[in-house]
Amino acid sequence: MNPVSLIFLALAMSTDAFAAAIGKGSSLHKPRLTEALRTGLIFGVIEAITPIIGWLIGQAASQWVAEWDHWIAFTLLVVLGLHMIYNGLKHEEEEEEKPGSHSFLILAVTAFATSIDALAVGVGLAFVDVNIWVAAAAIGLATMTMVTIGVMLGRVLGSMVGKRAEIVGGVVLMIVGATILYEHLTV
């Protein structure tokens, strides 16, 4: 795989994580750069690991992964999105202050959900002449950068939409999930 193709692959793999990061950033109370970097690092590491796992799976079970990856990503993102919408719709007296950061578990589940496509790409890379370690590093670095920017962009969008920012984030996650499902079903 040539370097230009690798760059485009890495950027393509990071776009859904970028959209999810905007939602995550908008649901936080004024996230700082350190929180954005933490989120970017978590997403980037997971997004770098999944194509390697996919590449390994590609040696034996590519058909199962290709048939179900979009449904897994769709389900995880819709459930997380609905949870965020529910939290955004709580009555004033039930609402808590926006957190300053998300838990590692929430970030890891969201990162995994947005990296299912990278797992499938890893399966495909098992049949192409590519250094999986270089490809995974490029995907991870692009995702870390895009997610960090996304969280900070979400901070700006969150202050513009006020207390309903979590609803926006939930809708964004659901749109990302629906897009993944649509792209796989229309191929």
Side-chain angles (χ1 to χ4, degrees):
M1 178 176 282
N2 67 51
V4 173
S5 296
L6 185 59
I7 290 169
F8 280 118
L9 173 68
L11 290 173
M13 293 293 90
S14 66
T15 56
D16 51 354
F18 174 73
I22 291 172
K24 289 296 181 192
S26 69
S27 68
L28 292 175
H29 177 70
K30 297 182 182 178
R32 295 177 180 242
L33 182 58
T34 54
E35 178 60 21
L37 287 169
R38 174 181 168 262
T39 303
L41 185 61
I42 292 168
F43 272 73
V45 167
I46 291 173
E47 193 89 23
I49 291 171
T50 53
I52 294 169
I53 293 169
W55 185 81
L56 293 170
I57 291 171
Q59 307 298 316
S62 64
Q63 191 172 18
W64 185 87
V65 173
E67 290 179 19
W68 293 98
D69 68 334
H70 50 284
W71 287 106
I72 295 167
F74 172 74
T75 302
L76 287 171
L77 290 170
V78 166
V79 168
L80 286 168
L82 287 172
H83 179 69
M84 288 177 72
I85 290 170
Y86 170 77
N87 285 338
L89 292 173
K90 282 183 183 177
H91 290 89
E92 190 88 17
E93 61 273 4
E94 294 179 31
E95 287 187 20
E96 300 172 10
E97 281 190 37
K98 282 185 173 182
S101 65
H102 290 293
S103 73
F104 174 81
L105 180 62
I106 292 294
L107 292 176
V109 168
T110 306
F112 178 74
T114 61
S115 70
I116 294 288
D117 58 342
L119 183 89
V121 165
V123 171
L125 292 177
F127 305 105
V128 178
D129 183 30
V130 65
N131 182 330
I132 190 61
W133 303 105
V134 172
I139 290 168
L141 182 61
T143 301
M144 184 182 87
T145 303
M146 295 291 284
V147 167
T148 301
I149 292 167
V151 170
M152 295 311 290
L153 184 58
R155 174 186 175 151
V156 173
L157 294 176
S159 65
M160 289 170 33
V161 297
K163 67 179 186 171
R164 299 294 182 220
E166 197 155 12
I167 296 170
V168 173
V171 170
V172 167
L173 287 181
M174 292 173 67
I175 289 171
V176 169
T179 302
I180 290 169
L181 182 63
Y182 175 77
E183 288 173 353
H184 282 79
L185 294 178
T186 58
V187 173

